[in-house]
């Protein structure tokens, strides 16, 4: 059963939360981050991407970057930008985007649940990225970016959450991208107990986003256990900072593909080869084509959109990974026809998250790329099925919006 527990969050004073809170460190380049923090010394990017305060030529993994992150965090605490809760609490974090809400519990999740697969994964991690965040957490002595977890919706948890949200929030603001952020502190002992008991009835949790951050938090916890020799399991490093959402609240957007070339094929040869596995027809509507169902794709080539419908029997519908649209495109088009054997490392493919819009695909092709594919979004049920089967999703399968903000909650370990 899933173990979650309250913690004493280090969090911004209310009047500065909108200046402190920042997008996750891995959704922007260092150059973009430097632009974002201009005129804002409070931005949490000074901690999460501390290279922005050093020479731009510095290697991202240079020890000075991690030392600067710790220095900046300590300085912000000393200045009173952050205050620590006086007792362990849960928190309710609600985000609002375009009239839709997602409401999650901010809590410490157990590294033992992670290690024993009661927190299920669906992605591989890269060693360099994992080492980066492991070092960051270890040097800062704190988890600074929350892991995005999910579970099958439960009405008892919803009822408790709704009751909490009738109270006054500690934060309520809108970020520059139009996302609403509202936070309630759950410090009532009985409500904390009820939430803990309710989550203890959930057999497993799922990582929706944040595989590198969770793996890194677990690595630090294991390191601390080895260093300490004896531990009780109650130490803070045995838990990692999480926001846990019911699956019904989550919104996965399409994650689209754009290619530099046709791998030496002529347009005619490429279109002919596609017809083995797909029915092709021109898109007669205005604007880009957004797929309406599974196994349907849009393709933008030579200034025109076409609709690709996967032929019957193209995949094993009983296989959680093979039946994903991202797998079909990879196994039937990108690999055999376009020579993209490993989309994680190929320089000939790029990925465009749904938040950028399909017009971005047209723009990229019109400005020099060759062909783009629009995708039907992967479902949260698909993600859970892959994780339950112990399988790995293809890279760039899911794009969650809105993104969790870093810097609203810090978990000291």
């Amino acid at each position: 059963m899933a173990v979650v527990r309250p913690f004493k969050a280090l969090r911004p004073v209310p009047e500065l939360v909108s200046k402190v809170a920042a997008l996750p460190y891995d959704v922007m380049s260092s150059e973009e981050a430097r632009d974002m923090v201009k005129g804002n010394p409070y931005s949490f990017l000074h901690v999460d991407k501390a290279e922005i305060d050093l020479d731009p030529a510095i290697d991202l993994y240079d020890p000075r970057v991690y030392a600067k992150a710790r220095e900046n965090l300590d300085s912000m605490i000393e200045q009173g930008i952050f205050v620590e809760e006086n007792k362990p609490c849960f928190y309710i974090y609600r985000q609002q985007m375009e009239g839709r809400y997602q409401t999650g519990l901010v809590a410490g999740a157990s590294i033992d649940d992670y290690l024993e697969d009661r927190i299920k994964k669906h992605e591989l991690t890269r060693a360099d990225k994992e080492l980066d965040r492991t070092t960051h957490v270890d040097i800062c002595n704190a988890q600074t970016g929350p892991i995005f977890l999910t579970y099958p919706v439960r009405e008892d948890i919803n009822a408790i959450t709704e009751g909490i949200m009738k109270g006054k929030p500690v934060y309520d603001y809108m970020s520059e991208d139009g996302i609403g952020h509202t936070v309630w502190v759950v410090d009532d002992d009985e409500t904390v107990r009820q939430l803990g008991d309710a989550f203890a009835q959930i057999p497993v949790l799922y990582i929706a986003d944040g595989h590198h951050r969770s793996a890194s938090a677990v690595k630090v916890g294991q390191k601390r256990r080895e260093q300490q020799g004896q531990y009780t399991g109650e130490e803070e490093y045995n838990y990692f900072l999480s926001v846990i959402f019911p699956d019904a609240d989550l919104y996965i957007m399409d994650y689209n593909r754009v290619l530099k070339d046709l791998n030496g094929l002529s347009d005619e040869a490429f279109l002919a080869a596609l017809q083995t596995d797909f029915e092709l027809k021109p898109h007669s509507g205005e604007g880009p084509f957004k797929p309406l169902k599974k196994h349907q794709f849009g393709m933008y080539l030579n200034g025109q959109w076409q609709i690709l419908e996967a032929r019957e029997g193209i995949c094993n519908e009983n296989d959680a990974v093979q039946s994903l649209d991202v797998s079909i495109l990879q196994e039937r088009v990108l690999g055999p026809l376009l020579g993209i054997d490993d989309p994680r490392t190929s320089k000939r493919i790029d990925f465009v998250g749904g938040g950028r819009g399909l017009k971005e695909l047209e723009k990229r092709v019109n400005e020099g790329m060759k062909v783009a594919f629009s995708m039907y979004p992967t479902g949260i049920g698909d993600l859970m099925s892959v994780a339950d089967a112990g399988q790995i999703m293809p890279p760039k399968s899911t794009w969650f919006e809105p993104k969790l903000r870093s810097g609203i909650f810090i978990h000291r370990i």
Side-chain angles (χ1 to χ4, degrees):
M1 297 298 153
V3 176
V4 300
R5 77 171 194 175
F7 67 102
K8 294 166 68 173
L10 193 63
R11 55 184 182 82
V13 293
E15 60 269 25
L16 292 178
V17 65
S18 64
K19 294 181 180 295
V20 171
L23 285 165
Y25 74 97
D26 55 355
V27 301
M28 72 202 68
S29 67
S30 300
E31 185 179 353
E32 288 170 330
R34 286 188 179 92
D35 287 337
M36 288 178 178
V37 304
K38 283 179 179 175
N40 182 11
Y42 303 109
S43 173
F44 201 67
L45 291 175
H46 291 288
V47 176
D48 258 1
K49 289 185 75 68
E51 72 273 9
I52 64 177
D53 294 326
L54 299 169
D55 187 324
I58 197 167
D59 185 272
L60 294 182
Y61 306 141
D62 189 294
R64 289 172 290 177
V65 175
Y66 306 107
K68 187 64 175 176
R70 176 62 184 263
E71 177 189 326
N72 287 347
L73 178 59
D74 288 346
S75 175
M76 294 171 87
I77 295 170
E78 289 168 11
Q79 293 175 56
I81 296 168
F82 289 101
V83 293
E84 189 170 52
E85 216 73 63
N86 58 20
K87 63 181 287 190
C89 300
F90 285 131
Y91 305 86
I92 301 298
Y93 180 15
R94 185 183 71 184
Q95 294 179 294
Q96 182 266 328
M97 184 181 79
E98 298 176 352
R100 186 182 59 81
Y101 294 89
Q102 61 182 34
T103 305
L105 179 76
V106 184
S110 166
I111 71 170
D112 287 315
D113 283 349
Y114 179 99
L115 292 167
E116 295 166 14
D117 210 32
R118 289 185 292 276
I119 295 176
K120 291 184 175 289
K121 308 90 180 165
H122 67 266
E123 276 185 17
L124 295 174
T125 56
R126 280 176 44 182
D128 56 342
K129 288 189 172 185
E130 197 175 303
L131 178 59
D132 168 51
R133 284 300 104 176
T134 300
T135 308
H136 185 273
V137 170
D138 201 20
I139 297 296
C140 288
N141 200 38
Q143 297 151 2
T144 59
I147 287 85
F148 190 151
L149 301 179
T150 188
Y151 62 95
V153 62
R154 288 177 58 103
E155 290 308 315
D156 56 344
I157 295 175
N158 282 356
I160 298 170
T161 300
E162 287 165 10
I164 294 165
M165 292 192 299
K166 290 176 182 177
K168 185 179 179 180
V170 67
Y171 305 135
D172 190 9
Y173 76 97
M174 183 171 288
S175 50
E176 292 179 356
D177 53 2
I179 308 298
H181 304 267
T182 312
V183 173
W184 290 262
V185 178
V186 186
D187 56 5
D188 174 70
D189 291 344
E190 178 58 21
T191 307
V192 167
R193 184 194 64 77
Q194 289 175 357
L195 281 167
D197 288 350
F199 272 91
Q201 303 305 310
I202 299 174
V204 296
L205 300 172
Y206 300 83
I207 299 175
D209 201 8
H211 283 77
H212 287 95
R213 290 190 293 276
S214 55
S216 299
V218 171
K219 285 275 177 66
V220 174
Q222 291 176 303
K223 178 181 177 182
R224 298 284 173 99
R225 287 178 173 184
E226 290 173 8
Q227 289 172 337
Q228 194 164 318
Q230 292 183 328
Y231 64 93
T232 66
E234 295 300 309
E235 298 87 355
E236 289 300 324
Y237 57 72
N238 293 293
Y239 295 84
F240 57 88
L241 176 63
S242 304
V243 189
I244 315 169
F245 293 94
D247 60 350
D249 281 14
L250 301 187
Y251 180 47
I252 303 179
M253 301 183 78
D254 42 301
Y255 214 155
N256 305 305
R257 276 75 171 136
V258 59
L259 283 296
K260 287 186 176 180
D261 58 65
L262 296 183
N263 196 32
L265 295 173
S266 67
D267 295 355
E268 296 75 16
F270 178 58
L271 291 171
L274 283 175
Q275 294 184 53
T276 301
D277 293 319
F278 302 89
E279 294 180 20
L280 275 66
K281 59 182 179 181
H283 172 47
S284 57
E286 292 185 8
F289 176 70
K290 187 177 180 66
L292 303 175
K293 59 184 179 179
K294 285 188 74 171
H295 302 352
Q296 185 181 68
F297 307 81
M299 182 178 72
Y300 187 65
L301 178 68
N302 291 331
Q304 295 181 320
W305 281 95
Q306 297 200 51
I307 303 170
L308 279 61
E309 299 268 3
R311 296 190 186 277
E312 191 97 19
I314 197 172
C315 67
N316 178 4
E317 296 291 351
N318 295 318
D319 188 288
V321 172
Q322 287 186 22
S323 60
L324 295 172
D325 282 355
V326 288
S327 295
I328 292 172
L329 189 71
Q330 176 62 38
E331 298 303 322
R332 300 290 178 162
V333 181
L334 302 184
L337 301 184
L338 299 181
I340 307 293
D341 295 323
D342 187 350
R344 289 177 297 180
T345 59
S346 174
K347 304 297 185 186
R348 296 172 45 237
I349 186 170
D350 203 358
F351 303 88
V352 180
R356 305 284 293 274
L358 298 185
K359 283 289 186 182
E360 178 69 14
L361 296 182
E362 292 185 350
K363 177 174 178 286
R364 297 288 296 277
V365 172
N366 293 341
E367 291 180 351
M369 300 293 270
K370 178 60 180 178
V371 62
F373 296 93
S374 58
M375 312 290 294
Y376 187 73
T378 302
I380 190 68
D382 294 327
L383 181 154
M384 289 179 166
S385 294
V386 170
D388 285 339
Q391 294 181 288
I392 299 299
M393 295 186 87
K396 310 295 185 182
S397 294
T398 56
W399 180 277
F400 286 92
E401 285 286 354
K403 301 294 184 187
L404 299 180
R405 290 323 195 252
S406 295
I408 300 179
F409 313 97
I410 299 171
H411 179 219
R412 285 170 138 171
I413 58 170

